[in-house]
Amino acid sequence: PPHLFFFAPSSMEEYSPIEGHGMIGNMLTVALVTTDGAIDWMCYPHFDSPAIFCAILDKDKGGFYSIRPSKDDYRTKQMYSPETNVLVTKFMSKEGVANLIDYMPIITYTDCPTKVKQYALGHKWLIRRITVVRGKMDFKFECRPAFNFARDPHQTAQIDDHTITFTSNGVTMSLHSECEMSVNEALNSAVGHVTVSQGETVSFIFRDSADNFMKH
């Protein structure tokens, strides 16, 4: 969206219209974010790489990464932070008002270690951040990747209360957050709930694991 859009919430039980998405990127790839906080398209690590989230094509098998209020009685609006590609999805309900901030940071080569100057670590990070500006809100989240356009199986592993990994064909993606999460074994996904009060922020980082960093 170039400026500001208002939408009612939807769910992964339905397909979001293409105009109901914002786009973030890092000059290597992009992700599409619905107005209710679901990433339903992202090729990784490059534009022409296979998709790991593609629910925009198949809502049942395609994979997604959703962060949204636990209750459905909310309205949303979506905008970009001025002069940036930082996407802000605002959730408004009786309980409060919260911003979901999505971006992929770009780090210049001079910020990288000498031995990996051809890479920028930030290039491959997807950062999501919940900030409550009024009241208190409960959020639910689920990260359910579907590697290679949902054609390749993956293994999900709980590293600790705050980190879960997804491994497919030698590629390991990691989801980390300050809040606790668990593995939904039936859906092969990472799930959790978190309550955020006014002035508090909870961050989520989705990236390729350190062991596989140089392979990309």
Side-chain angles (χ1 to χ4, degrees), residues 7-209:
F7 287 96
S10 61
S11 71
M12 296 317 298
E13 297 176 355
E14 302 174 353
Y15 290 103
S16 294
I18 192 63
E19 66 270 19
H21 292 78
M23 183 174 68
I24 58 173
N26 59 8
M27 301 176 67
L28 294 178
T29 191
V30 299
L32 297 182
V33 187
T34 69
T35 53
D36 64 339
I39 294 176
D40 61 5
W41 177 261
M42 185 174 76
C43 293
Y44 193 89
H46 303 113
F47 292 108
D48 57 352
S49 300
I52 57 174
F53 301 124
C54 55
I56 195 172
L57 301 179
D58 188 324
K59 61 183 177 60
D60 298 316
K61 299 179 181 178
F64 61 90
Y65 178 10
S66 174
I67 301 176
R68 63 175 184 167
S70 299
K71 297 180 180 179
D72 289 335
D73 59 342
Y74 61 86
R75 294 182 299 115
T76 70
K77 64 180 180 180
Q78 197 173 70
M79 70 202 82
Y80 287 104
S81 184
E83 307 296 329
T84 74
N85 191 225
V86 176
L87 185 68
V88 180
T89 304
K90 184 179 293 292
F91 297 101
M92 297 164 286
S93 71
K94 294 179 180 179
E95 286 76 24
V97 176
N99 292 330
L100 174 62
I101 302 169
D102 289 312
Y103 64 100
M104 295 180 179
I106 298 174
I107 298 177
T108 61
Y109 293 139
T110 54
D111 292 331
C112 298
T114 302
K115 292 183 180 180
V116 290
K117 268 194 173 180
Q118 68 271 37
Y119 296 94
L121 184 61
H123 279 168
K124 300 191 172 81
W125 285 25
L126 168 61
I127 298 178
R128 316 197 73 187
R129 184 168 292 161
I130 305 169
T131 299
V132 172
V133 297
R134 180 175 62 81
K136 178 189 294 186
M137 296 184 69
D138 295 324
F139 283 83
K140 59 183 178 181
F141 59 90
E142 180 175 7
C143 183
R144 192 193 304 178
F147 290 82
N148 192 20
F149 299 98
R151 290 179 294 190
D152 293 346
H154 70 271
Q155 296 77 47
T156 305
Q158 181 104 38
I159 305 304
D160 55 45
D161 289 342
H162 304 277
T163 306
I164 289 176
T165 60
F166 311 90
T167 301
S168 178
N169 287 337
V171 176
T172 299
M173 305 298 295
S174 173
L175 177 66
H176 178 80
S177 178
E178 300 110 321
C179 65
E180 293 186 2
M181 63 183 81
S182 60
V183 174
N184 183 323
E185 295 184 0
L187 298 175
N188 217 8
S189 64
V191 297
H193 290 79
V194 61
T195 299
V196 188
S197 299
Q198 181 173 327
E200 295 180 343
T201 297
V202 176
S203 298
F204 300 80
I205 298 175
F206 183 74
R207 64 179 180 87
D208 55 340
S209 293

